[in-house]
Amino acid sequence: MQNYISKYMEIIAKNGIRNTKQKEYILLELISSSTHLTAEQIHQRVKERKIGLATIYRNLKLFESLGIVKEIPSGGTSYYELKLFARKPLHIHFKCLKCNCMTDMDDSEITMEYVRLNQKVEKKLGAEVMDADITLLGICSACKAKFK
Amino acid sequence: MQNYISKYMEIIAKNGIRNTKQKEYILLELISSSTHLTAEQIHQRVKERKIGLATIYRNLKLFESLGIVKEIPSGGTSYYELKLFARKPLHIHFKCLKCNCMTDMDDSEITMEYVRLNQKVEKKLGAEVMDADITLLGICSACKAKFK
DNA sequence: CTACCTGCAAAACGTTTGCAAGACG
DNA sequence: CGTCTTGCAAACGTTTTGCAGGTAG
């Protein structure tokens, strides 16, 4: 965990960008969260440490330009997930229609199927496909239990 | 084409909602367009007939609740596509990073692969998966030619 | 007729930007 | 120290809402 942070900080330093505690706090929230977070959700979790929402947006955008973070737009807002050092370089997102939480679909068979799909598309269009946003919409297990 | 409009109007009437020329114009634009449209793009195409932007948003939301239209959020705005009577009930979107146009990926092999993916997920999670947003990002053929 | 629908303008929402003060290296 | 980064507030673009007038059934 602390290990990850130092790797991210190294990348940041290597690009001539200053390491600040604000950047560290944001990255820590993304590392420790089991779900993907919106800028507002990150703000809720760090605002007691007097960090402005604008700083969070600025750094998320910065992290994205460095390839550290990926933005996932969904339903009027964006969720952010770590891209570098993530176990799953390409994967499928699952968004709950009840609680709006955004998580990864963790299933090797499904990811395999997705990789096949991506290969087909890349073969078909050449190098033109740069990225993919795949989000499945439904009810998460926590909400399923809650509303039963 | 006129055939489609009457089918949509029938659904609208069946739900106790009034058929207006504003609703018809919006649906006609969605039917005749080769790409998926934003609310603003629809407004550009019908505003000479004195239709307010708010009416377009209101009706798109209404159409969505009736299952006629699907919203595809991408990059700060939303695109809308017809869902009912569409040739492709489940398909993949392609968004061009140069011109921001949003189209359907029209390839039976790829769609097949997607259906397989969906089946795997549904089998895994049961009936919890209600919908999927799949958008591939890249450069469309028109832009590819233009910038070469 | 009456309830629903519309246009307009104002408000709300998420995100970005300008600027002076602060902190990293 | 110089310059990059921050917090705050204002600005921005998209979407929603309140309200008075208009229109479908």
Side-chain angles (χ1 to χ4, degrees):
Chain A
M1 200 127 273
Q2 195 56 39
N3 199 5
Y4 281 136
I5 281 289
S6 53
K7 281 186 185 174
Y8 289 124
M9 290 311 195
E10 205 180 307
I11 292 167
I12 290 166
K14 220 164 248 170
N15 283 78
I17 294 158
R18 291 187 181 161
N19 281 316
T20 62
K21 60 179 176 0
Q22 286 88 343
K23 291 191 179 76
E24 190 176 333
Y25 291 155
I26 294 167
L27 287 170
L28 273 172
E29 291 302 330
L30 289 173
I31 290 171
S32 63
S33 175
S34 63
T35 66
H36 302 323
L37 303 172
T38 64
E40 183 53 43
Q41 286 173 333
I42 296 171
H43 188 227
Q44 288 301 320
R45 295 170 189 215
V46 301
K47 74 175 172 201
E48 73 217 7
R49 278 164 278 183
K50 289 266 172 275
I51 298 180
L53 186 54
T55 300
I56 292 168
Y57 277 109
R58 264 189 289 238
N59 280 320
L60 286 172
K61 240 180 113 179
L62 173 73
F63 294 158
E64 204 182 5
S65 75
L66 296 176
I68 293 175
V69 155
K70 177 158 162 53
E71 182 182 357
I72 314 154
S74 178
T77 185
S78 283
Y79 294 76
Y80 297 87
E81 69 170 337
L82 289 171
K83 203 175 169 188
L84 241 48
F85 314 133
R87 276 83 61 215
K88 305 147 277 181
L90 288 174
H91 56 272
I92 294 163
H93 298 115
F94 181 86
K95 187 180 180 187
C96 177
L97 296 169
K98 292 260 187 207
C99 71
N100 284 326
C101 73
M102 166 93 65
T103 52
D104 288 341
M105 275 288 312
D106 236 337
D107 186 278
S108 61
E109 245 193 299
I110 288 165
T111 303
M112 268 276 285
E113 212 62 50
Y114 165 66
V115 172
R116 287 162 56 93
L117 170 68
N118 219 47
Q119 282 170 343
K120 278 244 160 57
V121 173
E122 281 181 353
K123 190 176 146 199
K124 189 89 186 173
L125 298 187
E128 278 70 57
V129 177
M130 278 111 163
D131 206 352
D133 288 336
I134 303 194
T135 303
L136 301 176
L137 307 163
I139 310 293
C140 73
S141 54
C143 284
K144 215 169 60 180
K146 205 181 298 173
F147 289 95
K148 195 176 276 181
Chain B
M1 201 126 273
Q2 194 55 42
N3 200 4
Y4 281 135
I5 279 289
S6 54
K7 281 187 184 171
Y8 290 124
M9 291 310 196
E10 206 181 305
I11 293 167
I12 290 167
K14 220 164 248 168
N15 283 78
I17 295 159
R18 290 186 182 161
N19 282 315
T20 61
K21 59 178 174 6
Q22 287 88 342
K23 290 190 181 74
E24 190 176 332
Y25 291 156
I26 294 166
L27 287 171
L28 273 173
E29 291 301 329
L30 288 173
I31 290 171
S32 63
S33 175
S34 62
T35 66
H36 302 323
L37 302 173
T38 64
E40 182 53 44
Q41 286 171 334
I42 296 170
H43 187 227
Q44 287 302 319
R45 296 170 190 215
V46 300
K47 73 174 174 202
E48 72 216 8
R49 279 164 277 181
K50 290 267 173 274
I51 300 179
L53 186 54
T55 301
I56 292 168
Y57 277 109
R58 264 189 289 238
N59 281 318
L60 287 172
K61 238 180 113 178
L62 173 73
F63 294 158
E64 203 181 8
S65 76
L66 295 177
I68 293 175
V69 155
K70 178 161 164 50
E71 181 182 358
I72 316 154
S74 177
T77 187
S78 283
Y79 295 76
Y80 298 86
E81 69 169 336
L82 289 171
K83 202 176 170 186
L84 242 48
F85 314 132
R87 279 82 60 213
K88 302 149 280 181
L90 287 173
H91 56 272
I92 295 164
H93 298 115
F94 181 86
K95 186 180 181 189
C96 178
L97 297 170
K98 292 262 185 205
C99 70
N100 285 325
C101 72
M102 168 94 63
T103 53
D104 289 341
M105 274 287 313
D106 235 337
D107 184 279
S108 61
E109 245 193 298
I110 289 166
T111 302
M112 269 273 287
E113 212 62 50
Y114 165 68
V115 172
R116 287 163 56 93
L117 171 68
N118 218 46
Q119 283 171 343
K120 278 245 159 62
V121 173
E122 281 180 353
K123 191 177 145 199
K124 188 90 188 175
L125 299 187
E128 278 69 61
V129 177
M130 278 112 164
D131 205 352
D133 288 337
I134 304 193
T135 303
L136 302 177
L137 307 163
I139 310 295
C140 74
S141 55
C143 283
K144 214 168 62 179
K146 206 181 296 171
F147 289 96
K148 194 175 275 182

